[in-house]
Amino acid sequence: MIPHQSQPKLIAGNANLPLAQAISRRVSMSRGMSVGLVDARVERFNDQEIFVEVYENVRGEDMFIIQPTSNPANDNLMELLIMADALRRSSAQRITAVIPYFGYARQDRRAKARTPISAKLVANMIAASGIERVLTMDLHATQIQGFFDIPVDNLYASPIFSLDIQHKFGKKLDKVTVISPDVGGVGRARELAKRIGCALAIVDKRREKAGEVAEMTVIGDVQGQTCIIVDDICDTAGTLCKAADVLLQAGAKEVHSYITHGVLSGPAVERITNSSMKSLVITDSIEATEPVKKARNIRIVPTAPMFAQAILNIWNGTSVSSLFDHESLAAIYEGTY
């Protein structure tokens, strides 16, 4: 059992400073005292080598590194590993990596011969760096938790999305259908549909090669319904925009999307802006670019309240799974909706 220090210690890399600062503010509110980010510099030499220097004493402290491994994935991953090494060599008592978006998660199996399982390699690197626990959200494949030989707490965005959906569509939930954009995501969509008491349908897709969708079929009745597509990652948005078109052709009244991680690379923002979707809701697990912030039909919901409470629960040695409960989360998000 780790003895409780006066407060948890938070430190952040450069991947998503706004989220780290929001988590810090939330932890401070809950603790009734200032819990700022540990003063440190994370920078690059001229040859792009990453250098970390921690300016505060962290000996015997319970440290939380807030660092999604989003684009540029390799740089942000190396920042995380080097920060962990710096803290371990500075005698931190425990190091927890808070990784809101876990990069390389889509490489979780060998789909073809002579290909890597990069998610397992990244898990090995994280454990070898001295990190003793991982806190993340909506892993692309839940079995990735088993790639780690250290504890992994995987939070879910569906409770946050259910609060938002009930706020936006509360008076007409009987006309809402939750959509899984593929067969593999049915579990995620079913969980959200169950939370808000709505019907479930599936868009079955046949993919010829990565990034290209050949054919889509709607399984289920969406006639006259407000359809809400639910998924964990939106990258180039090609599949998402085509799914919206297919649903409207099948008789849907309108289409909205709730996606946990807005990777939104390449032409994604332009595609979404010009698409038939009424809105795309993403979390702030990945720092939004200026085009994303300015897009008329993209909205961002905060994850800081959930991550701050999860950090406090880990620090206190209490249950993290309590955050999956609607009532617990509603209390944390009180005033937001």
Side-chain angles (χ1 to χ4, degrees):
M1 177 69 72
I2 292 178
H4 287 181
Q5 292 80 14
S6 60
Q7 59 192 32
K9 291 273 190 178
L10 312 180
I11 188 170
N14 295 313
N16 195 341
L17 275 173
L19 175 58
Q21 289 160 352
I23 292 172
S24 171
R25 287 194 298 271
R26 278 281 176 168
V27 172
S28 298
M29 288 168 58
S30 297
R31 294 287 298 146
M33 62 175 71
S34 177
V35 183
L37 297 174
V38 167
D39 189 18
R41 64 173 173 140
V42 182
E43 57 185 39
R44 282 161 178 71
F45 293 136
N46 290 333
D47 64 354
Q48 298 305 301
E49 280 186 12
I50 295 165
F51 177 73
V52 173
E53 184 176 5
V54 181
Y55 293 124
E56 296 180 27
N57 179 27
V58 297
R59 183 178 296 275
E61 297 287 358
D62 198 358
M63 300 297 305
F64 294 83
I65 307 172
I66 302 168
Q67 177 79 343
T69 51
S70 48
N71 184 32
N74 298 333
D75 288 0
N76 289 330
L77 175 60
M78 281 305 298
E79 276 190 15
L80 173 64
L81 300 176
I82 293 171
M83 281 191 290
D85 188 71
L87 294 172
R88 180 170 59 89
R89 293 177 187 277
S90 303
S91 301
Q93 186 169 67
R94 182 176 68 175
I95 303 169
T96 300
V98 181
I99 311 175
Y101 170 71
F102 185 83
Y104 285 101
R106 285 176 280 184
Q107 298 184 47
D108 63 312
R109 65 194 183 281
R110 295 187 69 191
K112 297 179 181 178
R114 296 176 296 281
T115 57
I117 305 179
S118 303
K120 171 59 177 168
L121 173 62
V122 171
N124 290 345
M125 293 165 67
I126 286 172
S129 70
I131 291 167
E132 297 172 56
R133 191 179 200 99
V134 171
L135 173 63
T136 187
M137 184 172 68
D138 271 358
L139 280 171
H140 183 63
T142 53
Q143 68 265 23
I144 291 173
Q145 293 175 82
F147 292 178
F148 288 87
D149 293 324
I150 56 177
V152 177
D153 291 305
N154 184 32
L155 302 177
Y156 298 98
S158 62
I160 305 173
F161 288 162
S162 70
L163 288 173
D164 192 85
I165 290 167
Q166 286 168 350
H167 177 71
K168 296 291 180 184
F169 306 98
K171 295 180 180 178
K172 48 181 180 178
L173 282 176
D174 58 322
K175 291 292 185 181
V176 170
T177 298
V178 175
I179 308 292
S180 173
D182 53 41
V183 175
V186 170
R188 183 181 298 106
R190 185 185 292 119
E191 163 68 16
L192 182 60
K194 186 178 177 181
R195 281 182 180 273
I196 59 178
C198 292
L200 175 68
I202 302 167
V203 175
D204 183 40
K205 66 185 178 186
R206 179 166 55 84
R207 193 191 295 269
E208 296 293 334
K209 59 183 180 180
E212 184 179 299
V213 178
E215 185 181 343
M216 284 185 164
T217 308
V218 178
I219 303 173
D221 183 17
V222 297
Q223 185 71 39
Q225 293 290 96
T226 296
C227 290
I228 296 178
I229 302 173
V230 181
D231 208 353
D232 64 322
I233 295 174
C234 177
D235 193 345
T236 59
T239 300
L240 194 64
C241 294
K242 186 166 183 179
D245 292 338
V246 170
L247 288 165
L248 289 169
Q249 289 165 15
K253 181 182 176 184
E254 58 186 42
V255 179
H256 303 262
S257 295
Y258 280 74
I259 310 292
T260 307
H261 308 296
V263 176
L264 302 179
S265 55
V269 176
E270 183 181 354
R271 280 176 176 170
I272 291 162
T273 303
N274 297 327
S275 75
S276 56
M277 273 188 299
K278 284 272 187 177
S279 69
L280 167 64
V281 179
I282 58 176
T283 75
D284 56 358
S285 63
I286 297 172
E287 185 175 2
T289 60
E290 282 305 313
V292 171
K293 292 175 185 175
K294 292 176 181 176
R296 59 174 175 79
N297 56 348
I298 298 178
R299 188 161 54 84
I300 302 170
V301 295
T303 58
M306 177 184 266
F307 275 110
Q309 192 60 50
I311 287 169
L312 288 170
N313 288 8
I314 290 170
W315 174 71
N316 279 318
T318 54
S319 171
V320 172
S321 62
S322 63
L323 296 174
F324 307 156
D325 179 69
H326 179 83
E327 289 184 7
S328 299
L329 202 69
I332 295 167
Y333 275 83
E334 192 171 3
T336 305
Y337 296 109

